[in-house]
């Protein structure tokens, strides 16, 4: 199994929509992630990802097939040296170790291509799979915010995991 990250391409639209149109993925994402994931939303996402005007977004591939997305969302103002890591993976690929390859690749890419000092991720407290991915990737749990998220009509715990440039680059 060959796992990589690469820039998005317009030709990725069928795979993007195929795997993103899943309520289980939506339930672990911010509300800005569309549900259902329509063809129009896939087109809008790809245009934004390819334009380079927003977050640094990459496709996750397994043996050249696009199976998910990973990105860094630069922060601003006094948090300008931070970027939030976000990702999702198509359900057929869960539990196969793909994200434990993709997250370190994106983290390294982020530190090499930007001047951020800290990359952080905020999984739901109930999302044990994402927590394990972050921990295996070298991220450290910094905080648990009780009821910090409100998703699907209920409060959810917000966890904050992070890694800093110096510690990450020393491992390379």
């Amino acid at each position: 199994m060959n796992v990589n990250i690469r820039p998005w391409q317009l030709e990725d639209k069928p795979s993007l929509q195929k795997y993103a149109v899943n309520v289980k993925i939506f339930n672990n994402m911010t509300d800005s992630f569309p549900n259902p994931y329509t063809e129009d939303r896939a087109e809008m996402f790809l245009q934004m990802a390819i334009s380079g005007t927003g977050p640094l977004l990459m496709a996750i591939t397994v043996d050249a097939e696009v199976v998910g997305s990973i990105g860094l969302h630069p922060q601003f103002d006094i948090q300008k040296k931070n970027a939030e890591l976000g990702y999702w993976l198509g359900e057929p690929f869960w539990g196969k170790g793909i994200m434990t390859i993709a997250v370190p690749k994106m983290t390294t890419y982020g530190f090499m291509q930007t001047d951020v000092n800290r990359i952080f991720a905020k999984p739901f407290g109930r999302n044990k799979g994402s927590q394990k991915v972050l921990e295996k990737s070298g991220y450290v749990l910094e905080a648990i915010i009780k009821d910090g998220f409100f998703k699907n009509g209920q409060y959810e715990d917000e966890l904050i995991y992070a890694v800093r440039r110096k510690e990450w680059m020393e491992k390379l």
Side-chain angles (χ1 to χ4, degrees), residues 13 17 36-45:
K13 186 173 160 184
Q17 192 177 14
Y37 207 100
T38 65
E39 192 173 318
D40 287 346
R41 290 303 302 254
E43 181 76 29
M44 288 172 43
F45 171 82

Side-chain angles (χ1 to χ4, degrees), residues 33-75:
F33 191 88
N35 181 42
Y37 207 100
T38 65
E39 192 173 318
D40 287 346
R41 290 303 302 254
E43 181 76 29
M44 288 172 43
F45 171 82
L46 289 172
Q47 292 295 338
M48 188 252 318
I50 292 167
S51 75
T53 58
L56 179 59
L57 301 167
M58 305 286 266
I60 300 169
T61 63
V62 173
D63 299 330
E65 179 186 11
V66 173
V67 298
S69 184
I70 191 164
L72 290 175
H73 302 260
Q75 304 298 289

Side-chain angles (χ1 to χ4, degrees), residues 2-157:
N2 186 15
V3 178
N4 277 305
I5 60 172
R6 64 155 173 80
W8 282 98
Q9 303 166 359
L10 289 177
E11 299 78 29
D12 297 330
K13 186 173 160 184
S15 289
L16 168 61
Q17 192 177 14
K18 173 182 175 182
Y19 292 117
V21 64
N22 183 325
V23 73
K24 292 178 184 176
I25 293 171
F26 169 79
N27 286 339
N28 286 299
M29 302 294 286
T30 66
D31 285 344
S32 65
F33 191 88
N35 181 42
Y37 207 100
T38 65
E39 192 173 318
D40 287 346
R41 290 303 302 254
E43 181 76 29
M44 288 172 43
F45 171 82
L46 289 172
Q47 292 295 338
M48 188 252 318
I50 292 167
S51 75
T53 58
L56 179 59
L57 301 167
M58 305 286 266
I60 300 169
T61 63
V62 173
D63 299 330
E65 179 186 11
V66 173
V67 298
S69 184
I70 191 164
L72 290 175
H73 302 260
Q75 304 298 289
F76 57 92
D77 201 340
I78 61 172
Q79 293 183 324
K80 63 184 164 264
K81 295 296 184 176
N82 294 271
E84 182 174 0
L85 175 71
Y87 50 84
W88 64 266
L89 185 65
E91 186 177 7
F93 302 93
W94 293 358
K96 299 182 186 310
I98 293 164
M99 292 311 297
T100 59
I101 297 170
V103 166
K105 284 184 181 211
M106 189 67 190
T107 303
T108 298
Y109 186 84
F111 283 133
M112 300 289 271
Q113 298 299 316
T114 73
D115 67 346
V116 299
N117 183 56
R118 176 177 169 264
I119 298 175
F120 67 95
K122 301 191 306 185
F124 289 89
R126 63 176 157 69
N127 190 339
K128 303 299 184 201
S130 192
Q131 294 167 44
K132 286 180 184 176
V133 163
L134 293 165
E135 290 165 2
K136 287 181 180 179
S137 298
Y139 283 67
V140 175
L141 179 63
E142 292 185 337
I144 300 172
I145 300 169
K146 295 295 290 175
D147 298 336
F149 293 143
F150 189 74
K151 177 77 175 181
N152 295 333
Q154 61 186 10
Y155 289 99
E156 303 267 359
D157 291 347

